[in-house]
Amino acid sequence: MSFTPVASVPVDRRTARVHEEGWQSWSPSGAYALDATPYRPTNSNWATVCYRPGVTVPDGVFQGEGLLALAPKGEDGPVVVCAAADPRSSVPSIRLDVRDGRAEISADGKVDFYSYLGPGGIQGALADWADSLGLTEPRPAPTVWCSWYEYFTAVTEDDIHENLRAMDTLDLPIDVVQIDDGYQSRLGDWLTLSGRFRSRAGIADAIRARGRRAGIWTAPFLVDPASDLAAEHPDWLVRTSSGAPLHAGRNWGHDLNVLDTTHPHAAAYLAEVFRTLRAEGYDYFKVDFLYAGALDGVRHADVDALTAYRDGIRLIREAIGDEAYLLGCGAPLLASIGLFDAMRVSPDTAPHRRPEADDYSQPGQDAAEFTGVGRQWQHGRLWINDPDCLMARPTVETRERWAAHVEATGGLMASSDRLLSLDEWGVSTTRRLLGGGA
């Protein structure tokens, strides 16, 4: 990367703060003192799956992906903002290096640079930048129950039915019952059920019969190399320059490949998946691991990765219709502006506080709180923020603190417990936090 100087700003090393905006939902984002060490990937796989792939930041340098803010005298003074000139099409890396009492700011693409003199410090300055984009105010989020943080990929159809009944028994104000990962046979084979599920349409009917909405999870740009899709349509995969399937990292114990949505047949398949789910009664869609759609590689069409990504999301939106609710996760954030109703703005939470290897892209309440707080300015401006799910069961570490964080965001409220495992505090907290849903 070639970086061009943007500005040189005098700083007070004792009080100055700098905000790094991470690449995607799970990338650490927040404000640091100048003597702090920013959070960086601790292994190469997480560098691909959770940070900006192929980008290494030199030691002692701050770097924002498309957005960086500096309070040179501290949060009570003016703030300078350096932002992508057109974040929907290009997201340059922006660096800040402190030398001889000055912050030297540079970027590897076209950026805007200006001073913010209003209230609110760094969060106020970032909110002002978001307001300048002139986006339509996002519609309110429904309240949600999600299967993930209790059952993970072992979820069964019977688990969904049990919790659906428990919502009535416990009188919980849940609008959407969202089936997460585990209903499908493999990544990419979205319409083929795993052995733990009997009927996707049948579950949707049962949910709607109880007066609730049906939601479902997909990772639309990921393909398991062992899937039927990969075996039958290898030409639908994004490739490297040598012709091998592009490697999108590893998760669930599987290597990951990428669906090439610029290939007309792959695009038609993905559209059919979402039209089918919509026809079965699902109208809330969580689309996850979206970073994969923005990876550089050789595609059927000669377009850049961000264009391919945005076109892929538009394809999904067209298939589900404007009335369906679309939640993004693991998504390149600035490249997603204008495409989603709600967006995960932090790494996954977890029943524990500390993320693995202290990598702040990994599941853990500490990591989710740090980045969730750092991105609070996005809420109600770019989309409805998703701080990740409430877990209120007794076995969750510091559940009171996590619930307080989720509540303070004012964002999407989702429960992810086996509801019959909740004690009195868990039921009352879940009922209270979800009480304001649309």
Side-chain angles (χ1 to χ4, degrees), residues 204-244:
D205 288 344
I207 292 169
R208 297 165 73 199
R210 290 179 178 265
R212 307 186 197 274
R213 296 164 57 186
I216 199 161
W217 174 95
T218 59
F221 302 135
L222 287 184
V223 177
D224 186 333
S227 66
D228 291 341
L229 185 150
E232 296 169 8
H233 304 287
D235 55 322
W236 292 6
L237 302 180
V238 178
R239 299 277 165 174
T240 66
S241 58
S242 66

Side-chain angles (χ1 to χ4, degrees), residues 275-298:
R275 282 195 296 266
T276 299
L277 296 173
R278 187 70 180 89
E280 290 175 347
Y282 295 91
D283 71 351
Y284 176 98
F285 295 86
K286 178 180 178 181
V287 287
D288 204 351
F289 290 81
L290 298 179
Y291 76 90
L295 291 173
D296 290 328
V298 178

Side-chain angles (χ1 to χ4, degrees), residues 148-371:
W148 179 248
Y149 284 108
E150 181 73 58
Y151 303 101
F152 299 96
T153 57
V155 64
T156 69
E157 183 167 331
D158 291 339
D159 294 328
I160 305 299
H161 287 296
E162 179 201 278
N163 284 280
L164 186 58
R165 294 189 297 269
M167 293 169 202
D168 290 342
T169 302
L170 299 173
D171 190 26
L172 295 175
I174 293 170
D175 301 322
V176 173
V177 178
Q178 183 230 305
I179 303 167
D180 212 279
D181 187 10
Y183 68 89
Q184 80 288 350
S185 61
R186 294 183 187 274
L187 301 174
D189 297 336
W190 301 110
L191 299 181
T192 305
L193 292 174
S194 69
R196 298 180 301 279
F197 282 75
R198 298 178 292 275
S199 171
R200 221 177 24 248
I203 300 173
D205 288 344
I207 292 169
R208 297 165 73 199
R210 290 179 178 265
R212 307 186 197 274
R213 296 164 57 186
I216 199 161
W217 174 95
T218 59
F221 302 135
L222 287 184
V223 177
D224 186 333
S227 66
D228 291 341
L229 185 150
E232 296 169 8
H233 304 287
D235 55 322
W236 292 6
L237 302 180
V238 178
R239 299 277 165 174
T240 66
S241 58
S242 66
L246 183 68
H247 182 61
R250 186 172 174 82
N251 202 36
W252 304 278
H254 296 270
D255 289 325
L256 305 173
N257 293 150
V258 182
L259 185 69
D260 181 3
T261 54
T262 73
H263 191 294
H265 297 311
Y269 164 74
L270 193 61
E272 180 61 22
V273 166
F274 281 94
R275 282 195 296 266
T276 299
L277 296 173
R278 187 70 180 89
E280 290 175 347
Y282 295 91
D283 71 351
Y284 176 98
F285 295 86
K286 178 180 178 181
V287 287
D288 204 351
F289 290 81
L290 298 179
Y291 76 90
L295 291 173
D296 290 328
V298 178
R299 291 174 166 82
H300 179 82
D302 185 19
V303 299
D304 65 89
L306 292 190
T307 297
Y309 166 73
R310 288 183 64 86
D311 287 349
I313 299 299
R314 290 191 188 99
L315 179 154
I316 292 169
R317 170 58 80 184
E318 182 178 355
I320 65 176
D322 290 338
E323 293 184 0
Y325 204 86
L326 187 61
L327 164 65
C329 187
L333 284 190
L334 296 195
S336 297
I337 289 173
L339 298 177
F340 292 90
D341 296 301
M343 177 64 72
R344 171 74 73 74
V345 293
S346 68
D348 281 12
T349 187
H352 51 270
R353 291 219 61 90
R354 300 299 296 177
E356 184 179 348
D358 273 346
D359 188 311
Y360 265 51
S361 72
Q362 294 305 294
Q365 295 170 36
D366 283 344
E369 287 181 12
F370 173 79
T371 295

Side-chain angles (χ1 to χ4, degrees), residues 362-383:
Q362 294 305 294
Q365 295 170 36
D366 283 344
E369 287 181 12
F370 173 79
T371 295
V373 168
R375 287 179 168 152
Q376 186 62 29
W377 59 275
Q378 298 177 7
H379 178 59
R381 296 180 176 88
L382 304 185
W383 35 61

